[in-house]
């Protein structure tokens, strides 16, 4: 009987699995992603440069650490040497003469792509490759104005990447190099840095699979993923079971090659079931979480292999339409993936370890937090700031007024932390380190500062954006108490009931009550009668 009851449920579950697999295959086909890892196609005769042995023998003395890393690498095992990666043409902008050979200091993703073509194409079209272009015009407001331009090279560029410049003698400009930022613009025009995750000169797969490969940049106020992962159940299990992660395996498929715990790579890049591995780290993200207001995103794949994201409330572009990319160049639309399809791929990774019910429940909780942030804080704050700018009450120059710092921290620091915390299962970062901080900032700093800036137009420019909103209605309930702050208003004193006087008491009989002299006479007669009766009773007792 139980088997008969569960048969429809099992058939339904199998249909859902088939549907998920179909959607994933469609997405992979649309994005030209193979479902299996690709081997190096370049013929081995194309590497093993004869001058490479001279490089190794010299650098074993000059820089033994680098030489030893290469000796222990997969490259050495495959016969790939220094000159195979560093060789250059004399016409290359960064070419230099070194010990009788023409080489380039920087080994770019384009160089790595000679052997690792699939990985190069995926990385080139990813959000990582655009990391420098995304912030290029924003950097001066903070790195230059608030601090100083020296901080750009040592701070921003080390994660986002620099535009590496070559001096007249062929050497690299120290203002832009050394740099292994993920969106680095290389002298050969390629974008990115493979060594940002696969540290040179070992270029280890295991290193890139470690969370530490990501947290070098994904930590701190705007991208607090290190703290969040370590505080999450996933991070706790990873720390306890790292030795079972099989990090050095040639293939690394969740649920097959390892089951101990997930890492950053597992969810955002790794293979799982029908989902192939990819070097496009943003492919599976349905939400934009580092913006003043979060929006779900279409993924627009362009004919040159690059990708753009567009908000889901915008009309998606048609195939063949020409769009402008972050770097100013243009390309034509090849295919558009909806946020729902991107969420389906991410959820399929979750299903390798979790049930469908748990996965859907988690995604619902995550979405609810993002919507809460948007409607209660993100959208009203953005509208208030726009009103103040439009009214000329704030200057367009960023960070020359305290309110701008307050607003920046509201969405860029605390708001990002809350949304990332919900996305990665860290309740502490979703609440105490996140949404609580957002609320505290909004009510105790942002609104008072915005009202002060608005002056006599406060009702129009500030209060109009929160009055009547359900999330802010609690502010009107000032008389309510709660013991959370250690004090409660005293209970109100009970209203005293007035005592009744004899004149207010109802008469014992229907006869009207005696008043004045008549009442006195009645009292005297009653006393006399009582005394007489008492005396007679005493005389009778004595006679007896």
């Amino acid at each position: 009987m139980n088997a008969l009851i569960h048969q429809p449920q099992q058939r339904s579950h199998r249909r859902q699995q088939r549907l998920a697999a179909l959607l994933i295959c469609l997405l992979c086909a649309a994005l030209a992603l193979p479902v299996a890892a690709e081997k190096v196609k370049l013929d081995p005769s194309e590497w093993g440069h004869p001058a490479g042995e001279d490089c190794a023998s010299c650098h074993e003395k000059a820089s033994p650490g680098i030489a030893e890393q290469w000796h222990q690498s997969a490259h050495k095992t495959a016969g790939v040497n220094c000159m195979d990666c560093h060789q250059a043409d004399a016409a290359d902008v960064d070419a230099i003469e070194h010990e009788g050979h023409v080489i380039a200091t920087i080994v770019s993703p384009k160089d790595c792509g000679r052997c690792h073509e699939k990985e190069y194409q995926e990385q080139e079209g990813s959000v990582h490759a655009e990391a420098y272009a995304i912030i290029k015009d924003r950097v001066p407001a903070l790195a230059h104005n608030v601090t100083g331009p020296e901080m750009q090279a040592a701070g921003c560029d080390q994660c986002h990447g620099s535009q590496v410049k070559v001096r007249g003698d062929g050497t690299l400009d120290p203002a832009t190099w050394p740099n292994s930022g993920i969106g680095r613009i290389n002298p050969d025009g390629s974008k990115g840095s493979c060594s940002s995750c696969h540290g040179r000169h070992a270029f280890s797969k295991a290193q890139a699979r470690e969370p530490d490969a990501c947290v070098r940049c994904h930590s701190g106020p705007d991208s607090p993923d290190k703290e969040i992962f370590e505080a999450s159940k996933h991070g706790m299990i990873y720390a306890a079971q790292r030795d079972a992660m099989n990090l050095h395996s040639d293939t690394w498929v969740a649920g097959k090659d390892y089951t101990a715990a997930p890492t950053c790579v597992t969810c955002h890049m790794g293979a799982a079931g029908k989902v192939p591995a990819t070097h496009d780290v943003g492919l599976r993200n349905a939400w934009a979480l580092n913006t003043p207001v979060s929006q779900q995103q279409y993924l627009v794949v362009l004919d040159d292999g690059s990708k753009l994201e567009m908000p889901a409330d915008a009309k998606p572009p048609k195939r063949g339409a020409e769009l402008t990319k972050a770097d100013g160049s243009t390309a034509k639309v090849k295919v558009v993936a909806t946020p729902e399809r991107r969420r389906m791929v991410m959820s399929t990774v979750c299903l390798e370890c979790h049930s469908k019910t748990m996965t859907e429940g988690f995604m619902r909780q995550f979405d609810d937090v993002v919507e809460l942030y948007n409607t209660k804080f993100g959208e009203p704050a953005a509208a208030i700031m726009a009103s103040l700018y439009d009214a000329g009450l704030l200057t367009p120059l960023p960070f020359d007024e305290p309110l701008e710092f307050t607003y920046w921290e509201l969405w860029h620091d605390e708001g990002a932390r809350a949304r990332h915390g919900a996305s990665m299962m860290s309740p502490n970062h979703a609440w105490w380190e996140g949404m609580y901080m957002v609320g505290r900032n909004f009510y105790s700093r942002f609104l008072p500062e915005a009202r002060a800036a608005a002056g006599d137009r406060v009702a129009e420019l500030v209060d109009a954006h929160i009055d009547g909103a359900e999330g802010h209605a609690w502010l009107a309930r000032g008389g309510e108490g709660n013991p959370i702050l250690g004090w409660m208003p005293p209970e109100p004193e009970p209203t005293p009931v007035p005592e009744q006087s004899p004149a207010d008491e109802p008469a014992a009989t229907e006869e009207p009550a005696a008043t004045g002299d008549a009442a006195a006479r009645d009292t005297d007669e009653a006393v006399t009668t009582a005394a007489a009766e008492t005396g007679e009773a005493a005389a009778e007792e004595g006679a007896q």
Side-chain angles (χ1 to χ4, degrees):
M1 177 61 72
N2 287 338
L4 293 175
I5 292 174
H6 288 298
Q7 279 179 358
Q9 296 175 347
Q10 292 170 346
R11 286 195 296 270
S12 175
H13 182 61
R14 286 195 294 271
R15 283 196 298 271
Q16 291 169 348
Q17 288 180 318
R18 288 195 295 270
L19 177 60
L22 175 60
L23 288 172
I24 292 163
C25 289
L26 288 173
L27 179 59
C28 293
L31 302 183
L33 297 175
V35 296
E38 227 176 62
K39 298 292 184 182
V40 172
K41 296 178 180 179
L42 192 67
D43 190 273
S45 63
E46 297 292 327
W47 63 75
H49 196 289
E53 292 298 325
D54 295 335
C55 298
S57 62
C58 183
H59 279 279
E60 284 168 358
K61 303 178 183 68
S63 47
I66 289 176
E68 184 59 26
Q69 289 170 1
W70 172 73
H71 278 304
Q72 296 180 11
S73 72
H75 282 165
K76 167 67 180 294
T77 302
V80 177
N81 63 42
C82 310
M83 282 298 293
D84 292 323
C85 299
H86 285 275
Q87 63 181 313
D89 293 327
D92 291 345
V93 65
D94 59 338
I96 59 174
E97 192 278 331
H98 177 70
E99 300 294 337
H101 300 286
V102 178
I103 67 165
T105 300
I106 295 177
V107 178
S108 74
K110 185 177 180 179
D111 295 324
C112 298
R114 289 180 60 235
C115 296
H116 303 286
E117 183 179 358
K118 168 182 175 287
E119 291 79 4
Y120 169 55
Q121 291 175 350
E122 292 171 352
Q123 177 273 338
E124 187 182 34
S126 73
V127 67
H128 271 170
E130 302 297 337
Y132 176 79
I134 288 171
I135 70 159
K136 178 182 177 182
D137 295 332
R138 306 179 192 179
V139 164
L142 277 174
H144 293 196
N145 295 352
V146 175
T147 57
E150 294 81 4
M151 283 309 305
Q152 179 174 346
C156 313
D157 288 355
Q158 292 303 318
C159 285
H160 285 267
S162 62
Q163 184 165 6
V164 180
K165 297 179 181 179
V166 183
R167 297 190 292 191
D169 61 357
T171 60
L172 303 177
D173 186 348
T176 63
W177 178 264
N179 184 280
S180 59
I182 198 70
R184 185 182 68 201
I185 309 299
N186 300 295
D188 64 5
S190 65
K191 301 175 183 178
S193 167
C194 301
S195 63
S196 184
C197 303
H198 303 272
R200 55 181 181 270
H201 285 82
F203 295 103
S204 164
K205 296 190 297 290
Q207 178 186 354
R209 292 165 178 167
E210 290 268 16
D212 286 348
C214 305
V215 302
R216 169 178 172 268
C217 294
H218 289 277
S219 59
D222 65 330
S223 188
D225 303 306
K226 175 184 187 294
E227 306 94 304
I228 291 171
F229 176 76
E230 290 174 351
S232 72
K233 182 61 72 69
H234 285 164
M236 182 190 76
I237 297 173
Y238 171 79
Q241 302 185 161
R242 181 186 175 280
D243 291 344
M245 290 297 297
N246 203 16
L247 293 168
H248 292 274
S249 174
D250 286 337
T251 62
W252 207 59
V253 181
K256 177 183 176 183
D257 296 316
Y258 68 103
T259 60
T263 70
C264 313
V265 168
T266 301
C267 300
H268 293 280
M269 302 173 68
K274 296 290 185 180
V275 176
T278 177
H279 276 64
D280 185 346
V281 72
L283 185 67
R284 304 167 187 176
N285 296 338
W287 284 102
L289 298 181
N290 287 69
T291 52
V293 177
S294 284
Q295 293 179 302
Q296 292 195 338
Q297 303 283 303
Y298 287 112
L299 183 68
V300 182
V301 184
L302 303 174
D303 60 359
D304 64 355
S306 62
K307 303 176 185 70
L308 293 175
E309 291 189 313
M310 297 184 64
D313 60 1
K315 185 177 181 180
K318 294 183 179 179
R319 185 170 183 173
E322 190 170 83
L323 297 180
T324 302
K325 301 190 296 183
D327 63 2
S329 62
T330 61
K332 293 183 178 180
V333 175
K334 180 178 180 181
V335 70
V336 178
T338 65
E340 292 77 16
R341 185 175 290 184
R342 301 174 80 178
R343 169 62 58 82
M344 177 68 76
V345 176
M346 181 68 85
S347 296
T348 302
V349 178
C350 302
L351 291 172
E352 288 301 309
C353 297
H354 301 291
S355 69
K356 182 173 181 290
T357 300
M358 182 174 180
T359 299
E360 290 179 348
F362 162 72
M363 293 298 184
R364 171 65 181 272
Q365 292 176 3
F366 165 40
D367 291 346
D368 286 349
V369 169
V370 178
E371 295 288 359
L372 169 65
Y373 165 81
N374 281 347
T375 56
K376 187 169 183 178
F377 302 111
E379 291 169 358
I384 289 169
M385 292 297 290
S387 296
L388 294 172
Y389 282 122
D390 290 342
L393 298 173
L394 293 176
T395 69
L397 181 66
F399 304 117
D400 63 333
E401 290 142 321
L403 178 59
E404 292 172 320
F405 280 99
T406 300
Y407 177 59
W408 171 259
E409 292 169 5
L410 179 75
W411 72 262
H412 180 268
D413 295 8
E414 291 120 12
R417 194 180 305 122
R419 289 172 280 175
H420 282 242
S423 74
M424 293 170 59
M425 293 186 175
S426 174
N428 182 57
H429 289 86
W431 168 233
W432 283 119
E433 301 293 334
M435 202 65 79
Y436 163 70
M437 301 292 286
V438 172
R440 187 183 74 174
N441 186 336
F442 186 83
Y443 291 117
S444 70
R445 293 176 59 203
F446 178 77
L447 285 182
E449 291 174 12
R451 287 175 173 140
D456 58 4
R457 299 180 63 183
V458 64
E460 167 198 355
L461 302 180
V462 179
D463 293 344
H465 298 290
I466 62 172
D467 285 349
E470 181 180 354
H472 306 289
W474 68 278
L475 292 172
R477 304 196 297 267
E480 292 185 5
N482 191 293
I484 191 169
L485 296 181
W487 182 87
M488 281 285 289
E491 293 290 337
E493 293 289 338
T495 304
V497 178
E499 296 182 2
Q500 292 181 332
S501 64
D504 297 328
E505 294 179 358
T509 64
E510 294 182 0
E511 296 293 330
T515 59
D517 294 340
R521 287 195 298 270
D522 290 344
T523 302
D524 291 342
E525 289 175 358
V527 172
T528 302
T529 302
E533 291 175 350
T534 303
E536 292 175 355
E540 289 176 358
E541 289 179 359
Q544 294 175 357

